[in-house]
Amino acid sequence: MINEIKRLESLARTLDMDADERTILLEQVTAYSQRFLDDIPGEPTYSSNDSREIYESPLTEEGINIDQALTLLKNNVDRSGINTTSGRFLGCIPGGGLFPSALGDYLAAVSNRYAGHVFASPGAVQIENMLLQWMASAVGYPETALGNLTSGGSTANLLAIVAARDAYGVEGAKLDRSVVYFTEHVHHSVDKALHMAGLSRCIRHEVAVDDNYRMDAKKLEMAIVSDQMAGLKPWLIVASAGTTNTGSVDPLPEIASIAAAHDLWFHADGAYGAFFVLCPEGRTALGGLVSSDSLVLDPHKTLFLPYGSGAVLVKDGSKLYASQNWEAAYMQDIPDNLEEVSPADLSFELTKHFRGLRLWLPLKLYGLAPLRAALSEKIHLARYFHDRIRQTNGFEAGPAPDLSIVTYRYRPPRGDVDEFNLRLVKAIQEEGRVFVSSTRVNGRIILRAAIVSFRTHLDEIEETLDALKRNARHLIEKDH
Ligand SMILES: *Cc1c(COP(=O)(O)O)cnc(C)c1O
């Protein structure tokens, strides 16, 4: 038996690398990362390359060396699909990925602190709670607010909706009569969250939008009143604090008063937009956020973090706690600490990555000022882009941007407008220098530029405008 244990031990011990082995890995990974970051300005924003080498290199009993692993990454991962680290990438909602965040992840993984419970790592929990308190105070939430760092906005929306469900006791026979209000521009993760929360039987009332794609508050109130008269139970309003599609901010102050007057839970989905409260222009656009009952923010969008960071806040934190705090025999040695609430009591996630560090490190190293400036800059760039599009022959601009997403489209002299715009966006994406995307609003194809990355500055915007004009001209010439 001892011999067998020793034999196994000698192989198992290779898992625990010594300093020299670690140095080799660190040097190679550092060199690779430096090259990756230095090369960003020249790299395409999109590559259709779909190599199958990952499948052709299966997991085997013996490992490969770091060079080989990095080559696989470089050829198969880093150079295929969309490149969201590029400042010329204006599709989806790209954050860019602040470098110190990568180091935060690294440190969190090295020390492997258990950030779920205050007993396990008081410091890690303090970091998480301090970040959430900072977010809460940035939107003006009182000290009663509690929250959680999540993997992203979808998880955060789910936690908020479940807390709202539990606070209002929406279950059983009530389900079929309970009504949820949002607009057609609500993020699909809200619909998914309702589904996952067992709320599919609730009635969804889609409220009309105005010309700026914002929820029409009058129509919201009318809908609530008529639903009440029909014997239904209006329960939840999900407002978008910046829609993904067009960046529009629903009229939050009006929605807040309507929610208060009719006793509805007011959830604000600010996965894209909420962090703009950190700059003056955004703070103006987002007035009323403070009156929401719960809020979602995505640091991996508008705090420029790499993917894997969302956050939920619930103004009356006891409602989130009541909804997520659970007991289990194998956790009985962990004492309750009501001074410092544990993340695991505010989420369905128990063991999770020490997420706080990837946010805390960049905020501490940079300070807040450059982040505020970058957010202001994005809003100004969006306004500038919108002005320039309006003045460019052949293009028509959508409404003035509320935050940093601009919608527009090209009007060709003849032919199908939707089809032309789809071809235009495809031509630009295939060219690979800049990346803009299309969407459908009111049944029409429109183009959008999401100006979010911390690497997007005036030069990248000028290049995007040039690419739009150049490609539109080419297509028109081809059609002749
Ligand atoms: C991105 C987004 C979400 C979903 O967030 P993930 O982080 O992608 O899960 C939800 N709502 C809005 C408004 C978003 O922009």
Side-chain angles (χ1 to χ4, degrees), residues 3 37 45 99 126 155 185 212 242 384 395-396 440 457 471:
N3 280 347
L37 293 168
T45 49
F99 180 64
Q126 276 171 28
T155 303
H185 294 279
N212 291 302
Y384 174 77
F395 282 91
E396 62 185 22
R440 189 178 283 278
H457 307 291
N471 281 284

Side-chain angles (χ1 to χ4, degrees), residues 93 151-155 157 187 189 242-244 269-272 298 300-301:
I93 299 191
S151 59
S154 303
T155 303
N157 270 326
H187 194 271
S189 62
T243 65
T244 314
D269 180 1
Y272 152 64
D298 254 0
H300 66 202
K301 286 176 176 167

Side-chain angles (χ1 to χ4, degrees), residues 285-308:
L286 294 165
L289 207 51
V290 60
S291 306
S292 58
D293 293 302
S294 55
L295 171 64
V296 163
L297 320 90
D298 254 0
H300 66 202
K301 286 176 176 167
T302 26
L303 276 184
F304 317 119
L305 256 60
Y307 295 131

Side-chain angles (χ1 to χ4, degrees), residues 37 41 51 57 61 114 139 147 287 303 308 330 347 366 432 436 442 444:
L37 293 168
S51 171
S57 176
E61 291 304 313
Y114 192 91
V139 296
L303 276 184
Y330 40 78
S347 169
Y366 291 125
V436 294
N442 297 335
R444 298 190 318 182

Side-chain angles (χ1 to χ4, degrees), residues 15-61:
L15 296 175
D16 199 6
M17 295 185 161
D18 67 22
D20 290 340
E21 291 171 306
R22 294 197 299 267
T23 302
I24 293 173
L25 294 192
L26 279 171
E27 279 174 356
Q28 303 259 19
V29 169
T30 304
Y32 182 89
S33 313
Q34 294 285 52
R35 222 172 309 125
F36 179 94
L37 293 168
D38 288 343
D39 286 350
I40 287 174
E43 286 292 318
T45 49
Y46 173 71
S47 158
S48 57
N49 179 10
D50 84 90
S51 171
R52 310 287 291 174
E53 267 182 75
I54 294 292
Y55 286 134
E56 285 158 15
S57 176
L59 303 175
T60 49
E61 291 304 313

Side-chain angles (χ1 to χ4, degrees), residues 50 61 96 99 102 110 117 136 161 171 183 193 212 254-257 269 283 304 309 334 340 356 413 421 440 457 469:
D50 84 90
E61 291 304 313
F99 180 64
V110 166
H117 209 284
I161 284 171
E171 57 181 10
T183 76
N212 291 302
E254 288 85 347
I255 293 171
S257 341
D269 180 1
R283 185 162 273 277
F304 317 119
S309 279
I334 302 179
E340 192 80 73
N421 280 279
R440 189 178 283 278
H457 307 291
K469 284 187 273 189

